[in-house]
Amino acid sequence: MNHRNGFNPLSRTTAHRRAMSRNMVTSLFRYERITTTKSKALEVRKSAEKLITRAKEDTVHNRREAAKFIQDEKILNKLFTEIGPRMKERNGGYTRVLKLGYRQGDAADVVILELVDYKLDTEKAEKAEKAETKPAKKAPAKAPAKAESAKAPKTASKSKEAVEKKPASKKASEKKEESKAE
């Protein structure tokens, strides 16, 4: 029975358990989705939901209380500027636990702990593809600038070519020496 037992010690010392909990909560806020065992997820969920409740109201006191638990300033800022405002309308239940099955080695229950409003990476991939197409359009605009530099006096271009050729010859000689050594 589990009467009057406030938390699961996870067979760890107090210091190890606190450090693990802090690291897992920080990872949850960084990636908004982590894979772990069921017992760890249920323990991490408690502290994560308390921090999100604090982050709904951005005050100096709440930031300092959360900073006791989250050491990374970027993640702390993300918690108060992105995650907290997103959860403003919810009255709790900010995380969900999805069962994956059993781990191969030790048959532990493996779950996904994620924020309720987590979006899959497919949307991020679409944004990345759009971002990759934009720089391709800007590249031809830079080509005329190179053409203007080609119009510069030939003496300057010859000296640049000479400088560029020297390192190339060194590299070639180094490659020959490496092949001989082998």
Side-chain angles (χ1 to χ4, degrees), residues 55 58 63 74 76-86:
D58 192 0
R63 277 190 180 256
K74 291 180 183 178
L76 184 66
N77 191 34
K78 179 181 178 180
L79 175 64
F80 279 90
T81 58
E82 295 176 25
I83 297 172
R86 283 191 334 219

Side-chain angles (χ1 to χ4, degrees), residues 11-160:
S11 300
R12 286 167 170 78
T13 62
T14 303
H16 185 186
R17 189 174 54 251
R18 283 183 185 162
M20 183 184 65
S21 178
R22 286 178 176 184
N23 290 335
M24 290 182 76
V25 168
T26 302
S27 295
L28 176 65
F29 293 148
R30 177 177 288 133
Y31 303 112
E32 299 185 9
R33 182 179 205 177
I34 58 173
T35 304
T36 183
T37 61
K38 184 178 177 183
S39 56
K40 287 180 191 174
L42 295 178
E43 285 301 310
V44 168
R45 173 186 220 173
K46 293 176 186 177
S47 52
E49 295 212 1
K50 289 177 183 177
L51 288 171
I52 292 173
T53 302
R54 282 206 179 267
K56 288 166 66 172
E57 185 179 344
D58 192 0
T59 62
V60 174
H61 177 69
N62 284 345
R63 277 190 180 256
R64 287 181 178 168
E65 289 296 315
K68 289 179 184 177
F69 201 81
I70 298 175
Q71 302 296 319
D72 191 353
E73 289 182 23
K74 291 180 183 178
I75 303 304
L76 184 66
N77 191 34
K78 179 181 178 180
L79 175 64
F80 279 90
T81 58
E82 295 176 25
I83 297 172
R86 283 191 334 219
M87 305 291 184
K88 198 79 165 175
E89 302 301 317
R90 298 185 68 89
N91 291 327
Y94 311 113
T95 59
R96 83 168 53 101
V97 176
L98 303 170
K99 295 180 182 179
L100 287 179
Y102 299 101
R103 192 160 51 197
Q104 178 90 29
D106 59 356
D109 280 333
V110 179
V111 298
I112 294 175
L113 176 65
E114 68 180 8
L115 298 179
V116 172
D117 60 353
Y118 176 76
K119 305 271 190 286
L120 288 176
D121 291 337
T122 56
E123 294 175 8
K124 292 179 183 178
E126 291 173 6
K127 289 180 184 179
E129 289 174 8
K130 289 179 184 178
E132 289 175 3
T133 57
K134 289 180 182 178
K137 293 178 182 177
K138 292 181 182 179
K142 293 181 181 178
K146 291 181 180 178
E148 292 175 7
S149 64
K151 293 179 184 178
K154 292 181 180 179
T155 56
S157 63
K158 286 181 183 178
S159 63
K160 288 180 183 177

